[in-house]
Amino acid sequence: MEEFEAVQYCFQSSNSSCTKEVRPTAVYAVIYISAAVVVMLTVCGNLLVIISISHFKQLHTPTNLLLPSLAVAGLLMGVTVIPFCLVVLIQTCWYFGETVCMFYNIFSFGLPPVSVNHVACIAIDRYLAECDPLLYSTRITVNINFFPLFQKSVKLIVTLKIFKPTSSLLNLFT
């Protein structure tokens, strides 16, 4: 004779809610510890790349300028997408509300193409370096002064000049 288990729903007040998969506590503990290790390795690894390339002047080459950008995209994935994705995979329910769901969807659909585009740019850069090594340094240059408005915008954001009460919109970029 078959035994029927009580069906558990993600939200007990509604029978139309998704069914919740129930596992033993020990299994949950192992899965959550593994998930935490994955998130920590992702965050720490990307932080290590960002800090090391930013710190050492020898690593400031045109190719290595793409790597911190890729690492920032990976760091954002490790902070905004992977933890929520792992919780949904483990719990089979979404408990974080509609606002977090909206941001999760924006990041989960927006960040992977950013990472893929960075990898494609790195591949193109490496292709140019391998196929035409003598002309590579003349084709690929880093000219920071090419973006003066970008520089001022970053400086403005970093110094938080925009949030000071004495700043005005007319004097932001002067």
Side-chain angles (χ1 to χ4, degrees):
M1 182 153 195
E2 295 180 28
E3 286 186 33
F4 292 102
E5 294 182 20
V7 176
Q8 289 191 2
Y9 295 103
C10 290
F11 299 102
Q12 296 298 330
S13 61
S14 172
N15 284 347
S16 64
S17 175
C18 298
T19 58
K20 180 179 181 181
E21 187 174 332
V22 180
R23 298 181 180 107
T25 307
V27 173
Y28 276 121
V30 169
I31 293 173
Y32 271 113
I33 289 171
S34 302
V37 167
V38 166
V39 170
M40 292 304 295
L41 283 174
T42 302
V43 170
C44 292
N46 285 307
L47 278 175
L48 183 66
V49 169
I50 294 167
I51 291 169
S52 62
I53 291 178
S54 300
H55 179 69
F56 296 109
K57 297 291 181 191
Q58 309 90 288
L59 297 176
H60 291 188
T61 63
T63 301
N64 287 347
L65 288 179
L66 293 169
L67 293 178
S69 184
L70 177 62
V72 168
L75 179 69
L76 287 173
M77 285 287 292
V79 171
T80 60
V81 175
I82 295 175
F84 296 109
C85 181
L86 290 175
V87 169
V88 169
L89 287 174
I90 295 168
Q91 292 291 333
T92 66
C93 298
W94 183 266
Y95 296 117
F96 304 110
E98 289 183 26
T99 305
V100 177
C101 180
M102 180 186 67
F103 284 112
Y104 169 77
N105 285 329
I106 289 170
F107 285 122
S108 67
F109 288 110
L111 288 175
V114 170
S115 296
V116 169
N117 287 334
H118 278 87
V119 171
C121 287
I122 292 169
I124 291 168
D125 178 68
R126 292 294 80 213
Y127 174 78
L128 292 174
E130 290 294 320
C131 291
D132 215 353
L134 297 176
L135 293 176
Y136 176 76
S137 61
T138 59
R139 284 185 180 171
I140 307 295
T141 60
V142 180
N143 188 359
I144 301 295
N145 294 327
F146 186 73
F147 302 106
L149 183 63
F150 177 74
Q151 278 183 315
K152 288 184 179 183
S153 300
V154 170
K155 187 187 294 185
L156 173 75
I157 291 169
V158 169
T159 61
L160 298 175
K161 184 177 179 182
I162 196 169
F163 298 114
K164 291 183 180 176
T166 58
S167 67
S168 69
L169 291 177
L170 296 175
N171 296 327
L172 287 178
F173 295 105
T174 58

